[in-house]
Amino acid sequence: MFEISEHESNLLQKAVKDGNAVLLLGAGTSATSLNAQGQTVKLGKALAGELAGMAGFPYANEDLPDVIQAVGPRGSEVQLHQLFRKEFTRIVPAAELNELFQYSWRRLYTWNIDDAIENVRSPVQLRRYYNGLNDKVAIDEGIEYLHVIHLHGEASKPEHGFIFSPSEYNRRLNNDKHDWYRQAAADYAAHVPVFIGSTLKEPILSAELDRARPNANASLGTAFLITPDQFTALQKAAYQARNIVVVQGTLADFIEWLGKAVGRGMSPLEISKEKNSFTETVASRISPTRAEISTANSILVHTWQDAKNKADELQGLKRQQAARAFLEGEPPSWKIAASDIPVWLSATDELYEALSSSIDAGDRMFLVYGQSGSGKTTALLQALLRYVREHDGRAIYELKGDVKSLRSSLELIARLHKDDHAIVYVGDAFIYGDALGEDALALPRGKLTLISSARSNEWRQHIERRVGDFTTSFEFQRFVKKDYPALIEKLLQYVPSPRFLKMSPNERAQKLATSQEQLLIALKETTASEKFTKVITDEYERLSDNDTKALFLIVGLATISRTGISRAAAREAYNRLRMGSSFEGAMRQLEGIVSENAIGRLVARHELYVRHIVENVADFSAVVDAAIETLRTYTKYALPVVKNVDRLDGLLFKFILNHNFIGELARRRNEVEEGLRVFQSFEIEFQLDGHFWLQYGQYLVMFGELEPALHALEKSIAAYPENIFAVHALADLQLRVAHNRNIYDATTVALIGDAVETLEGLHAAQSDDTDFYPIVTLADRHVSALIKHGQGKSALSAAQRYFRLIEAMRRTDMQIDRARERFAHYITHGTWEKSKPSQNGQPKHRRRARFGR
């Protein structure tokens, strides 16, 4: 029993040691456990016989599904549930089932309705339980937690139903209400599935796997089927064709094999230490809690020597490919930054001096900002590596984009550096949102320096206001003439361009000088001898088919959002759009255009490439389709979505729904109704998600549909009353509707009164770091509405009150200053100047960024 080849044994061992194995348990895993009466749990034929007798049928060894189908109309549901509770609750798990939980698993799905797993004691992972027929899908929480999903229901929760009979299978399939089954198929494709005690004759799982496969026999990766059953040569060949390794044995045999091949257990800490050197460091210096192990998994340690060793591994063709991909826009890595592939630009010298001074001074935060495609991220990585090279013994801690808590990560790093200063690289400041400033201030000054980057407009419009008081900022400028020779050398070395090669040195320099764009665009235009936009357009239009273009757009939207998309979500969205090509086939067609980033999420080559395609080249309906199917991957989660997915997926969800993003695309293409389809597609699924209705309403406002927008914003507040952005947007809209009404009647008065009460309350409660100004909305909308309806005395009184409120404000801003001037002019001269504030009172300009604190 349990005969397995050396190659297959190594695959299974690695999956277990990496915490990458997904368990799918059938009836056989409960066969040796005992029920509350001390008897072997009734399964299959034994249960079928008892059910048949209960309904008054003679039993002739029929299969359980057939028996349940037959006894259904004659049996009592109450009796059935009583039987299930008697047989399948308070189970005493067998020794081998207890042993199974001394190892760490990615997820566990079970077709059993008993509670044997719940009664296992002292597992190495914390467990969370989900009813597959009722509960929404939950995101992976890391190896410290094991999600246990009862796909067919639970004996202790009969109110949620069961799946036993063919009709119950069919109903679930027809209603498309099997989110956890769909997730099981995604986990099958993404990890290493291990089936134990199952016959693999599960119609819903088969349907989902078939949906993911290009054809019935295609593989989704290696799977293992552990079963005591005997198979014919033909049956084994059928499994082999789908890359399913059949191992004859029971659960007890599997546990015995695990003990010999892996050891007597595998805890989350052991797995984390093997995969991440930082976790090893943490475990060697402190006794980490489960939460700290989870936090440590999202922290990487970089030293100059490690980065240099990895860079030195790039030789021959691999080096050529990596260099070309980087020069054409693939995101930089520490390995690339440590090599001589990137040019050390003149601006990088200035950046290094500013960075070094900031770290040496123990600043809380250093942030470099610049245009997309300017080379700022590469320069920052180069500068950081040079700093640790010149300061022997220093290291850089990098927080991965999927880190759950910025503050917890900083506190853990600080624990390891009680008496010295740490350097922490957090990458793109954009993804940390409002928490960045508060978390950066959580530790005493001098404990660590956060290093980050941002787009110029994001720094000036949002981030500076939150962190500017304690941040040293540096503006990364465009490359200069002094950089031309080194850039040209790299292009000649790594980018095939016969025309460029034939040019004289002066002609090459002149060619580079003619492009006044960002570095990325300039390099592309120099070697292609064509405008960047034409090169990108041609590349997209040469993609082999619409399936490949659809996958590009799915990944492209996630690239513009700067989050990337998980392979599982991309596959799920793509499989709803594809006509013929498999996901893997389309990915092969996109080689060199789509790749995995450092945390395994798919990204297209560069945002500048994708944005041009999405805004100007791709059919707008194809963009909308990609947006809709990406959003549809979120319908399996509980609402509100952003509270039930991780940070990056939450940002992606918000970005795709963003009314400005969709609205500007629709406006460019004159396709307002087509853009509206993004929102209309989810009025039911996201009806309890306040963010969805907020963006829906603002999209309608954007195109003058004010009355429908009122209803959408009211739904947003009903779904999420605490969202002050929605409250502000509704009040703003109420004043606009009131202004546009023909008469000053009770409805108009009520609209104005409700809005004013809301906005004045928001103004009184507003903190200094919010992105909108209720007082600016009042300044324009309220006074304008009163003047328009001939309420001059009330308008003057309101203007005087608002002027006093503005005078009492501590902060200043271009829009606030403008509102103050308009009020003063109106109070003094009695004339009201029209204004066109940006939507929702959000200012278009901020203070200029500063170098220094």
Side-chain angles (χ1 to χ4, degrees):
M1 295 284 276
F2 216 89
E3 294 182 5
I4 186 171
S5 72
E6 182 179 358
H7 172 69
E8 290 160 349
S9 175
N10 290 338
L11 282 177
L12 187 52
Q13 284 181 58
K14 186 176 187 313
V16 176
K17 289 179 178 178
D18 289 347
N20 199 34
V22 176
L23 291 178
L24 298 102
L25 306 184
T29 56
S30 294
T32 53
S33 295
L34 302 178
N35 63 18
Q37 291 74 46
Q39 303 168 334
T40 302
V41 177
K42 285 188 173 63
L43 303 169
K45 305 286 187 181
L47 180 61
E50 181 146 349
L51 284 170
M54 189 176 72
F57 282 110
Y59 181 59
N61 217 35
E62 291 89 354
D63 289 337
L64 178 61
D66 295 331
V67 172
I68 289 179
Q69 187 86 27
V71 304
R74 296 178 60 170
S76 161
E77 190 174 81
V78 173
Q79 283 183 303
L80 184 65
H81 294 170
Q82 286 175 342
L83 173 63
F84 286 167
R85 281 200 173 92
K86 172 191 165 191
E87 284 295 331
F88 301 125
T89 63
R90 295 180 294 154
I91 298 295
V92 179
E96 56 266 31
L97 193 59
N98 280 302
E99 287 292 320
L100 186 66
F101 290 87
Q102 297 309 302
Y103 300 85
S104 299
W105 310 101
R106 176 64 56 180
R107 263 205 180 110
L108 186 153
Y109 297 90
T110 177
W111 286 285
N112 301 330
I113 68 169
D114 62 61
D115 62 4
I117 294 171
E118 283 81 347
N119 297 330
V120 166
R121 296 291 176 253
S122 303
V124 294
Q125 292 170 288
L126 294 173
R127 291 170 292 180
R128 299 198 195 281
Y129 299 98
Y130 299 92
N131 186 301
L133 305 184
N134 179 70
D135 295 331
K136 286 288 190 177
V137 171
I139 61 167
D140 186 352
E141 297 179 83
I143 199 64
E144 297 77 29
Y145 291 90
L146 176 64
H147 291 178
V148 177
I149 301 98
H150 286 270
L151 288 170
H152 285 183
E154 300 169 87
S156 60
K157 299 177 182 177
E159 65 274 15
H160 298 318
F162 303 98
I163 294 181
F164 285 117
S165 67
S167 63
E168 288 162 343
Y169 273 111
N170 293 337
R171 181 168 56 82
R172 290 278 169 177
L173 279 168
N174 292 336
N175 293 340
D176 203 23
K177 297 291 185 184
H178 49 271
D179 290 333
W180 271 113
Y181 257 114
R182 192 171 292 118
Q183 184 61 42
D187 286 341
Y188 186 113
H191 306 293
V192 179
V194 181
F195 294 87
I196 306 175
S198 169
T199 59
L200 289 190
K201 294 178 181 178
E202 301 294 337
I204 301 178
L205 181 61
S206 296
E208 288 304 322
L209 293 176
D210 288 344
R211 190 201 298 255
R213 292 189 182 100
N215 57 67
N217 290 323
S219 167
L220 289 175
T222 301
F224 292 86
L225 172 59
I226 299 168
T227 175
D229 295 344
Q230 298 279 353
F231 294 103
T232 66
L234 191 64
Q235 289 171 324
K236 288 181 180 178
Y239 283 121
Q240 189 175 11
R242 289 185 287 163
N243 214 15
I244 297 173
V245 177
V246 178
V247 183
Q248 192 173 4
T250 62
L251 174 59
D253 296 325
F254 179 49
I255 295 299
E256 184 180 351
W257 175 86
L258 281 172
K260 294 174 181 176
V262 178
R264 298 311 305 176
M266 183 62 62
S267 71
L269 179 58
E270 290 172 298
I271 289 173
S272 299
K273 285 163 61 176
E274 286 294 319
K275 296 173 74 172
N276 187 346
S277 63
F278 179 71
T279 309
E280 175 75 48
T281 301
V282 169
S284 67
R285 295 170 65 174
I286 63 174
S287 297
T289 64
R290 288 181 185 270
E292 287 173 329
I293 296 170
S294 177
T295 297
N297 287 335
S298 293
I299 302 175
L300 304 174
V301 183
H302 303 288
T303 64
W304 161 250
Q305 197 57 54
D306 286 345
K308 186 66 170 62
N309 290 342
K310 290 175 182 176
D312 290 343
E313 293 171 2
L314 286 174
Q315 298 294 332
L317 181 59
K318 284 186 177 180
R319 181 182 182 83
Q320 191 80 25
Q321 291 171 333
R324 183 176 178 186
F326 166 72
L327 291 168
E328 293 193 336
E330 191 169 284
S333 64
W334 295 99
K335 178 165 60 178
I336 289 290
S339 73
D340 65 355
I341 292 171
V343 172
W344 183 279
L345 300 169
S346 300
T348 313
D349 276 326
E350 299 171 22
L351 169 61
Y352 178 71
E353 291 302 319
L355 174 70
S356 300
S357 298
S358 182
I359 295 174
D360 291 344
D363 289 347
R364 288 185 184 274
M365 189 167 177
F366 177 89
L367 184 144
V368 56
Y369 64 95
Q371 290 182 310
S372 174
S374 64
K376 65 181 180 300
T377 305
T378 303
L380 183 55
L381 297 185
Q382 288 176 299
L384 279 166
L385 286 172
R386 177 176 165 182
Y387 184 88
V388 294
R389 185 186 74 202
E390 295 181 356
H391 295 74
D392 193 34
R394 299 298 297 268
I396 303 160
Y397 296 98
E398 179 185 11
L399 305 192
K400 294 160 64 177
D402 60 354
V403 66
K404 292 181 175 65
S405 168
L406 174 60
R407 181 175 299 193
S408 296
S409 301
L410 300 181
E411 289 173 345
L412 180 58
I413 293 169
R415 280 188 68 187
L416 302 182
H417 290 267
K418 292 181 179 178
D419 302 316
D420 59 343
H421 174 264
I423 305 168
V424 183
Y425 176 67
V426 297
D428 193 344
F430 164 80
I431 70 171
Y432 294 98
D434 294 345
L436 184 62
E438 184 178 340
D439 290 347
L441 290 170
L443 296 169
R445 188 183 187 280
K447 292 297 295 181
L448 50 82
T449 297
L450 284 180
I451 312 293
S452 192
S453 63
R455 306 282 169 80
S456 295
N457 64 329
E458 291 168 354
W459 168 248
R460 294 186 175 113
Q461 294 179 12
H462 302 289
I463 300 171
E464 185 190 13
R465 187 173 64 259
R466 291 176 170 83
V467 304
D469 290 340
F470 57 84
T471 296
T472 297
S473 60
F474 178 88
E475 184 173 12
F476 191 80
Q477 301 285 0
R478 189 179 183 276
F479 67 101
V480 296
K481 188 174 182 179
K482 183 180 174 182
D483 300 318
Y484 290 2
L487 289 170
I488 289 169
E489 180 186 347
K490 296 303 178 186
L491 292 175
L492 290 171
Q493 186 176 358
Y494 295 118
V495 181
S497 177
R499 189 176 301 176
F500 187 63
L501 181 63
K502 291 177 182 178
M503 292 179 183
S504 68
N506 286 339
E507 287 173 329
R508 291 173 191 146
Q510 183 59 37
K511 185 67 179 171
L512 192 59
T514 57
S515 178
Q516 297 301 309
E517 299 289 345
Q518 297 101 303
L519 178 61
L520 174 62
I521 296 176
L523 295 180
K524 191 67 176 176
E525 290 185 344
T526 298
T527 53
S529 296
E530 290 181 309
K531 290 296 291 180
F532 179 82
T533 52
K534 184 178 188 310
V535 174
I536 303 311
T537 299
D538 291 345
E539 187 176 61
Y540 175 77
E541 290 181 342
R542 283 197 300 268
L543 292 176
S544 59
D545 52 44
N546 288 334
D547 282 358
T548 306
K549 290 177 179 177
L551 181 55
F552 171 83
L553 292 174
I554 290 167
V555 178
L557 292 175
T559 303
I560 298 175
S561 77
R562 312 222 304 278
T563 63
I565 185 171
S566 70
R567 185 176 286 265
R571 181 194 295 273
E572 183 181 338
Y574 173 75
N575 282 337
R576 291 182 177 274
L577 289 174
R578 71 178 174 94
M579 301 298 293
S581 299
S582 68
F583 177 79
E584 286 74 16
M587 282 292 292
R588 283 193 294 271
Q589 294 296 320
L590 292 171
E591 188 174 352
I593 299 173
V594 167
S595 60
E596 282 191 358
N597 64 12
I599 56 174
R601 292 173 77 89
L602 297 179
V603 292
R605 190 184 295 144
H606 196 278
E607 180 195 348
L608 289 174
Y609 286 71
V610 181
R611 192 171 287 278
H612 172 66
I613 299 302
V614 169
E615 290 181 350
N616 304 297
V617 182
D619 185 80
F620 185 56
S621 64
V623 175
V624 170
D625 286 341
I628 287 172
E629 295 312 328
T630 302
L631 288 171
R632 202 178 304 282
T633 66
Y634 290 90
T635 59
K636 59 180 175 283
Y637 300 113
L639 301 176
V641 168
V642 294
K643 298 286 187 181
N644 291 286
V645 296
D646 62 29
R647 176 186 284 111
L648 293 178
D649 284 324
L651 287 172
L652 177 57
F653 175 77
K654 290 168 68 175
F655 173 81
I656 294 179
L657 276 178
N658 187 282
H659 72 283
N660 280 322
F661 173 68
I662 300 171
E664 289 304 326
L665 288 178
R667 197 194 303 278
R668 287 174 71 94
R669 305 297 192 90
N670 196 28
E671 294 265 18
V672 176
E673 288 298 319
E674 185 66 10
L676 191 59
R677 187 160 62 89
V678 172
F679 299 101
Q680 292 172 333
S681 299
F682 298 101
E683 289 181 343
I684 301 300
E685 290 88 343
F686 294 148
Q687 63 183 298
L688 295 180
D689 192 292
H691 179 74
F692 167 77
W693 288 112
L694 172 60
Q695 298 304 318
Y696 195 166
Q698 290 181 311
Y699 183 90
L700 293 169
V701 170
M702 197 172 182
F703 296 104
E705 298 292 332
L706 303 188
E707 295 285 352
L710 273 178
H711 299 305
L713 292 178
E714 286 166 354
K715 289 175 183 175
S716 176
I717 295 169
Y720 183 24
E722 295 80 14
N723 187 344
I724 59 173
F725 298 100
V727 172
H728 178 255
L730 177 60
D732 175 89
L733 182 56
Q734 287 172 325
L735 289 175
R736 291 183 63 176
V737 172
H739 183 280
N740 290 349
R741 287 177 60 81
N742 293 325
I743 56 174
Y744 190 70
D745 58 4
T747 300
T748 305
V749 171
L751 285 167
I752 292 174
D754 290 346
V756 169
E757 182 180 358
T758 296
L759 291 168
E760 289 192 353
L762 287 176
H763 173 76
Q766 189 171 29
S767 61
D768 285 345
D769 63 351
T770 49
D771 279 340
F772 63 91
Y773 301 124
I775 194 66
V776 173
T777 304
L778 284 166
D780 179 59
R781 306 286 191 213
H782 184 203
V783 177
S784 292
L786 291 173
I787 292 173
K788 189 257 187 180
H789 286 292
Q791 305 300 307
K793 183 178 178 181
S794 296
L796 179 60
S797 175
Q800 291 170 335
R801 186 167 74 258
Y802 299 148
F803 181 79
R804 291 193 296 271
L805 290 173
I806 287 177
E807 287 291 278
M809 291 180 70
R810 290 181 298 167
R811 57 192 289 198
T812 184
D813 180 273
M814 183 177 290
Q815 280 205 109
I816 293 174
D817 292 342
R818 178 61 183 144
R820 181 189 291 108
E821 292 169 8
R822 294 175 71 217
F823 282 140
H825 182 86
Y826 179 58
I827 293 167
T828 304
H829 302 287
T831 57
W832 181 251
E833 296 179 0
K834 292 186 177 180
S835 173
K836 294 181 179 178
S838 60
Q839 193 168 343
N840 296 333
Q842 292 184 0
K844 296 180 179 177
H845 304 285
R846 296 288 186 203
R847 302 185 302 273
R848 289 189 60 80
R850 300 165 293 151
F851 178 75
R853 281 168 283 162

